Amino acid sequence: MAAAAAAILELDPSHERAGRVIDNIVRLERRIFPKHESLVRSIHDELKRRNSGLIYMASTVAGGDGDEVVGYAMYTCPTSLCASITKLAVKESCRRQGHGEALLAAAVERCRRRRVQRVSLHVDPARTAAVALYRKAGFQVDATVMGYYATQRDAYRMFMDLQ
Ligand SMILES: CC(C)(COP(=O)(O)OP(=O)(O)OC[C@H]1O[C@@H](n2cnc3c(N)ncnc32)[C@H](O)[C@@H]1OP(=O)(O)O)[C@@H](O)C(=O)NCCC(=O)NCCS
């Protein structure tokens, strides 16, 4: 198999490549997340928000046409005090290669550059891979939010202080 290289890029919605990247992300969203957690309906609105950003990892396989999205993360910094990681996912066949960790670190770094004091996120405790990744990155559980996703589905609220 041809060697693959991966780079983390910030999505520029006005760039001609953005449509292809968003299509890729929408396809992954449909596979990875249940409908009510999916960005599919809201991605264009989310991208218009001034304080939000979407970063993605594109794999350029030698001999391929490039631009294949292997993972993505979304963050929002609504105030100077607190930012949120609102999405993180890696394509199933590309997991356990450090991509999730790299995307999370890049999203946190963007929040740090905006001088926010705390980054928080919500995660279903059943998503054990994600919880382990967040803990490894330095996030701690702050609270369990009952019924956050659905009647029987709670969330951990996790946070990391940057200063
Ligand atoms: C969570 C997710 C993004 C991790 O992506 P990934 O690229 O496989 O993660 P990495 O290879 O960077 O792993 C980094 C660390 O995360 C943890 N981790 C990742 N996958 C794990 C698994 N299957 N089981 C346990 N720990 C895991 C480990 O601590 C790992 O560090 P290590 O390799 O030193 O053990 C990926 O599994 C995913 O997309 N899951 C579905 C979507 C999801 O749950 N998103 C979070 C919603 S809030």
Side-chain angles (χ1 to χ4, degrees):
M1 201 164 100
I8 293 179
L9 304 165
E10 181 97 34
L11 182 72
D12 171 0
S14 64
H15 194 281
E16 46 106 0
R17 161 194 277 185
R20 279 201 306 279
V21 171
I22 292 171
D23 287 350
N24 260 257
I25 290 174
V26 164
R27 266 199 298 279
L28 291 176
E29 278 283 301
R30 287 209 166 96
R31 283 219 302 269
I32 297 173
F33 293 101
K35 226 177 190 174
H36 66 278
E37 271 179 60
S38 165
L39 260 182
V40 168
R41 282 165 176 265
S42 60
I43 190 163
H44 292 281
D45 291 336
E46 292 287 333
L47 290 171
K48 281 186 203 142
R49 285 161 62 155
R50 208 161 44 89
N51 295 316
S52 296
L54 190 148
I55 54 177
Y56 65 98
M57 190 173 267
S59 159
T60 308
V61 179
D65 60 2
D67 284 351
E68 195 214 348
V69 174
V70 300
Y72 52 99
M74 194 163 222
Y75 60 92
T76 177
C77 305
T79 74
S80 58
L81 292 179
C82 194
S84 303
I85 305 294
T86 52
K87 195 57 100 171
L88 175 67
V90 171
K91 186 177 176 181
E92 297 89 329
S93 59
C94 300
R95 290 182 187 164
R96 298 312 306 250
Q97 298 170 42
H99 296 331
E101 200 170 351
L103 281 161
L104 179 62
V108 168
E109 182 51 32
R110 279 157 172 81
C111 299
R112 193 188 298 277
R113 280 189 221 145
R114 296 183 187 211
R115 299 180 186 280
V116 300
Q117 292 177 15
R118 173 170 285 201
V119 183
S120 61
L121 57 87
H122 290 88
V123 58
D124 184 335
R127 291 192 180 275
T128 52
V131 174
L133 166 57
Y134 295 139
R135 285 191 196 280
K136 186 179 179 193
F139 283 83
Q140 302 172 46
V141 176
D142 188 23
T144 299
V145 185
M146 310 297 276
Y148 179 83
Y149 292 107
T151 319
Q152 300 288 328
R153 276 187 72 207
D154 304 338
Y156 283 157
R157 188 174 71 203
M158 300 184 82
F159 75 97
M160 177 164 61
D161 285 331
L162 299 183
Q163 293 160 5

